[in-house]
Amino acid sequence: MLKLIFWSLLCINGALLAYQSGYLGKFKFAEREPARMQNQLGAASLTLIDAARAAAAVAPPPAPPAEPAPDAAASAAEEAAGEAPLVLVAAPVEPPKPVLACTEIGDFGLAESRRFDEKIGALGTKPTRRNVAVQEITNHIVYIPSPGGKEAAERKTAELQELGVTSYFIMPDGALKGAISLGVFKSETAAENLLATLGKQGVKNARVLARGPNKVAYQFRRVEAADAAKLERIAAGFSAQKRRACP
């Protein structure tokens, strides 16, 4: 049995050797690559090309880059702005408000000054008041000048009572504050008669003073533009009052 297998393998190997050596002839399907290249028809018309170039020639063109979405573009702009250097811009300086130079309005009588006070109460600028000397004489007052303080005035009135003078009045304010008024008269003659009578009673230091009406002037200083316009309208309602620069 082993001999049969041996001789069978030997015959097979011998047949393969003879086939490979060409002793048994050549078959078309058994030709190798060099032999087939030699037997090709029209081999001279073939052109060798680069495989990479051929692939690039037939490849589809690249798609254009997609535009970023609006939100993405805004984010990119914000990032770019955040990276940009910070520039400080000075705030505009508000120009100073124009103001009205010091102006004086007057001369107001007592009743009219009260009405004017009500009108200007809403203004942001508060005026100062001053008494105005008026040439017109309306009355004559008989008085004793202030003896100096409330207690001194009370001692003086006690002396007047001892002399028989019962009509007197301590003036609380004004130019004659603290003085003792003994009477007010329209005519100078009546005032002089009372002065003579008091002298006979022993009253000393009494005198007569001619007075005009009590007048008041208002001074407005550094009035802002808004209040200046309001003041113009208020003053227009008191057309009889004079307007002038502050003295």
Side-chain angles (χ1 to χ4, degrees):
M1 184 65 180
L2 293 175
K3 293 181 178 181
L4 178 59
I5 295 172
F6 172 76
W7 288 107
S8 297
L9 292 174
L10 182 60
C11 291
I12 293 170
N13 289 330
L16 289 175
L17 179 61
Y19 171 74
Q20 292 180 353
S21 300
Y23 293 109
L24 298 181
K26 297 181 179 181
F27 298 94
K28 185 176 181 180
F29 59 84
E31 293 179 353
R32 295 180 180 274
E33 188 67 22
R36 287 200 302 271
M37 291 294 293
Q38 294 176 359
N39 295 329
Q40 286 183 359
L41 299 178
S45 61
L46 297 178
T47 303
L48 297 177
I49 61 174
D50 189 351
R53 293 181 179 179
V58 297
E67 294 183 359
D71 294 342
S75 300
E78 291 176 358
E79 292 178 0
E83 296 175 357
L86 181 62
V87 179
L88 299 178
V89 179
V93 178
E94 184 179 356
K97 296 180 180 180
V99 295
L100 180 67
C102 182
T103 184
E104 184 176 85
I105 304 176
D107 313 310
F108 290 90
L110 181 60
E112 199 171 23
S113 66
R114 291 175 180 173
R115 190 164 63 90
F116 189 72
D117 285 335
E118 294 176 358
K119 297 291 184 180
I120 63 175
L123 294 179
T125 304
K126 301 304 179 184
T128 57
R129 298 175 50 160
R130 75 178 186 91
N131 294 326
V132 180
V134 181
Q135 297 297 329
E136 179 185 1
I137 297 176
T138 57
N139 56 55
H140 297 77
I141 181 173
V142 179
Y143 74 102
I144 298 174
S146 174
K150 182 179 179 181
E151 293 182 357
E154 290 177 351
R155 288 196 297 269
K156 189 65 176 179
T157 55
E159 293 177 3
L160 293 174
Q161 290 178 353
E162 292 177 358
L163 297 174
V165 178
T166 58
S167 179
Y168 56 84
F169 174 71
I170 300 175
M171 303 185 72
D173 53 20
L176 298 179
K177 182 179 180 181
I180 302 172
S181 172
L182 301 173
V184 179
F185 304 90
K186 287 186 177 181
S187 68
E188 184 178 7
T189 302
E192 292 291 345
N193 291 337
L194 175 60
L195 185 61
T197 301
L198 292 172
K200 293 177 180 180
Q201 290 178 274
V203 177
K204 300 178 181 180
N205 300 329
R207 62 189 65 177
V208 176
L209 175 66
R211 298 190 306 177
N214 293 325
K215 297 290 184 180
V216 176
Y218 294 80
Q219 292 182 351
F220 296 86
R221 300 177 184 274
R222 300 189 60 80
V223 182
E224 293 185 357
D227 279 350
K230 296 177 182 178
L231 183 60
E232 290 286 345
R233 292 193 294 269
I234 294 173
F238 297 83
S239 56
Q241 298 301 323
K242 299 177 181 179
R243 297 190 59 181
R244 53 190 174 268
C246 296

